[in-house]
Amino acid sequence: MTDTSSRLAWSTPPAALAVCGIGGVVLAVAAFLSNDGPGRLLIGLAALGLLFMTVVGLRQRPRLAVEPGDPVQLVVRGLAGAQRYTPQQILRVRVVNYRRLGRRMPMLELDVDHQGDEKLLIFGRWDLGAHPEDVLEVLRIQLAR
């Protein structure tokens, strides 16, 4: 049986972030060893991109979480820090399929009332580390309490 807290927090899998970090370091070494100027630039940019993705992924852990309590709060972490939303601030939660790279990709959409303005938050499988449909099920159960 899985731990309840692990089912209430979703983020990019640590293994994926480790692979991104290792890939970034390998590309940085390859850029350093390259003799071709334009190739060095492109490889270096790819290395910076992977290392940036790793840092962002680590900074935003967990990306989405439900904090039990009275009232239950939905916590969304971003680069600027965590934002908390009560069930009354969550206007709509749904899974929408977007076309990406010729495939239909499910994305979790949250419409929230953020300081009087409506804000749309979109999470993919990379952000959640789980299928968005599974996260939607848990969110509906937790936020209905």
Side-chain angles (χ1 to χ4, degrees):
M1 184 109 194
T2 58
D3 181 26
T4 304
S5 62
S6 67
R7 291 183 292 143
L8 298 178
W10 300 273
S11 59
T12 305
L17 293 175
V19 168
C20 278
I22 292 168
V25 170
V26 168
L27 284 175
V29 169
F32 181 75
L33 296 176
S34 176
N35 294 329
D36 180 38
R40 177 179 284 177
L41 174 69
L42 292 175
I43 296 169
L45 288 174
L48 285 176
L50 281 175
L51 292 172
F52 179 74
M53 279 179 50
T54 303
V55 169
V56 168
L58 290 171
R59 168 82 172 101
Q60 297 179 0
R61 291 187 66 82
R63 184 76 170 104
L64 183 67
V66 175
E67 284 184 354
D70 189 30
V72 172
Q73 290 189 338
L74 184 67
V75 180
V76 179
R77 288 192 193 278
L79 288 176
Q83 296 289 326
R84 288 178 163 67
Y85 301 103
T86 63
Q88 292 77 25
Q89 291 177 294
I90 300 170
L91 306 174
R92 181 175 47 183
V93 180
R94 66 184 180 156
V95 172
V96 177
N97 289 309
Y98 289 100
R99 284 191 135 334
R100 292 183 67 188
L101 302 172
R103 295 178 46 200
R104 297 185 64 77
M105 305 298 291
M107 300 285 205
L108 179 68
E109 279 190 359
L110 295 169
D111 285 317
V112 296
D113 180 13
H114 181 76
Q115 300 172 350
D117 293 326
E118 189 172 326
K119 187 175 181 181
L120 176 64
L121 305 171
I122 301 175
F123 303 95
R125 190 174 180 102
W126 173 262
D127 297 312
L128 301 171
H131 196 280
E133 298 267 349
D134 299 336
V135 176
L136 176 65
E137 259 182 59
V138 174
L139 286 179
R140 284 197 173 145
I141 291 168
Q142 292 297 318
L143 296 175
R145 292 181 176 187

